Amino acid sequence: MTEARSEVSLGMPQLPAPAYPAEVRARLEADAKEVIARYPGSRSALLPLLHLVQSEEGYVSRTGMAFCAEQLGLTTAEVTAVATFYTMYRRRPSGDYQVGVCTNTLCAVMGGDAIFDRLKEHLGVGNDETTEDGKVTLEHIECNAACDFAPVVMVNWEFFDNQTPESATRLVDDLIAGRTVEPTRGAPLCTYKETARILAGFPDERPGAVAASGGAGPASLIGLKLAKGEAGPQARVVGPRGEAPRDEPQKGAEHLSSHDAPQQTSASDPDNPAGPAAEEGE
């Protein structure tokens, strides 16, 4: 049993969380009031409020959790339960750029594991650790619904698609050096604190940021267009890594997989109707 757990088990009170400076608290209270007003029940504002305090310190501190509890009339235990459940809330100081490497199945087999191993070695940090200069925190992340672009690296939740160990290494070097980095799609990159404020529900006021936010990429949308019969005369076929894509004639259903093509089922095949299930013992 650790010393901290021993204190809790003996009923020893913890020290109160340090308070925000007066000017910081006044600013956060004004923002919190705006956030809470969006919801019919104040406790529904807890998630955006946690992002709000994270935008102040770069992580959710004890001070931030105490602030949220006070604003919403909750206990610190209720706030802590939420802050420790969701991985987007950091629990200790971290870097300006959260570099997440997807290591779920598809990204892993497409090179995600190799990218993660390379970055650990290159940066000299492990999972959920931050470089000494405070610039980059490295972590492996769960699927972010970008499997068409595997392997995917995310920086402050912006997409960097079709990465390799070499391109990911250049990416973190550029971040550390302060060079401009452009996501593959989506809004321009900003710091983790700025990202947290946007996630709290405040507008991204950078010029052109909203217009650049975009949506799903063409590799994701082609399947939807095929299903709706809206695909154009050409289908883009992605070859093996390292080869250029090529165009092939689009002939509608001929390009669908056997799973997508119409199947001969009891509903569509009158010659083979499905009768009632036989009772056991008949």
Side-chain angles (χ1 to χ4, degrees):
M1 181 178 293
T2 65
E3 182 179 351
R5 289 182 179 177
S6 298
E7 292 179 357
V8 172
S9 65
L10 293 173
M12 297 178 66
Q14 290 185 327
L15 294 175
Y20 284 123
E23 66 277 10
V24 173
R25 182 178 177 85
R27 172 164 44 79
L28 288 177
E29 284 180 342
D31 287 340
K33 183 177 181 180
E34 180 179 339
V35 172
I36 295 169
R38 302 171 190 159
Y39 299 91
S42 62
R43 68 183 299 143
S44 298
L46 177 54
L47 295 180
L49 278 194
L50 286 170
H51 283 300
L52 175 64
V53 297
Q54 186 158 252
S55 73
E56 183 64 34
E57 300 180 82
Y59 72 110
V60 178
S61 65
R62 289 179 58 220
T63 301
M65 288 189 284
F67 174 83
C68 292
E70 180 182 337
Q71 298 299 308
L72 300 175
L74 301 174
T75 66
T76 53
E78 289 174 309
V79 175
T80 301
V82 174
T84 56
F85 181 82
Y86 294 102
T87 58
M88 289 181 73
Y89 300 122
R90 312 296 301 182
R91 294 302 315 284
R92 59 177 181 269
S94 55
D96 293 332
Y97 300 100
Q98 303 284 324
V99 176
V101 182
C102 181
T103 55
N104 266 191
T105 305
L106 184 57
C107 277
V109 300
M110 294 291 287
D113 284 343
I115 292 172
F116 189 59
D117 290 340
R118 174 72 68 83
L119 291 184
K120 285 194 295 183
E121 178 182 0
H122 183 70
L123 296 171
V125 298
N127 181 51
D128 203 24
E129 293 181 354
T130 303
T131 55
E132 291 184 0
D133 59 10
K135 291 287 187 179
V136 171
T137 296
L138 179 66
E139 61 180 344
H140 68 78
I141 56 176
E142 299 301 317
C143 181
N144 280 271
C147 302
D148 288 333
F149 306 97
V152 172
V153 173
M154 300 191 80
V155 180
N156 294 349
W157 306 108
E158 299 295 346
F159 288 101
F160 290 81
D161 302 324
N162 298 307
Q163 293 295 296
T164 65
E166 292 73 27
S167 66
T169 300
R170 290 193 299 271
L171 170 61
V172 296
D173 284 346
D174 287 342
L175 292 172
I176 292 172
R179 291 187 283 267
T180 300
V181 171
E182 297 291 340
T184 307
R185 51 202 163 93
L189 193 64
C190 58
T191 67
Y192 192 62
K193 289 182 179 180
E194 292 170 329
T195 301
R197 183 169 177 82
I198 295 169
L199 291 174
F202 292 93
D204 188 347
E205 298 178 348
R206 294 173 298 160
V210 175
S213 60
S220 297
L221 295 176
I222 188 65
L224 178 62
K225 292 181 179 180
L226 281 169
K228 293 181 176 181
E230 298 174 355
Q234 298 290 324
R236 197 69 167 169
V237 178
V238 179
R241 197 166 297 275
E243 293 185 10
R246 64 184 187 277
D247 291 329
E248 285 191 356
Q250 166 63 39
K251 297 182 181 179
E254 294 180 17
H255 280 259
L256 299 178
S257 73
S258 60
H259 296 287
D260 298 319
Q263 303 293 307
Q264 289 293 324
T265 65
S266 59
S268 62
D269 185 6
D271 295 331
N272 296 281
E279 296 292 337
E280 186 176 351
E282 289 185 359

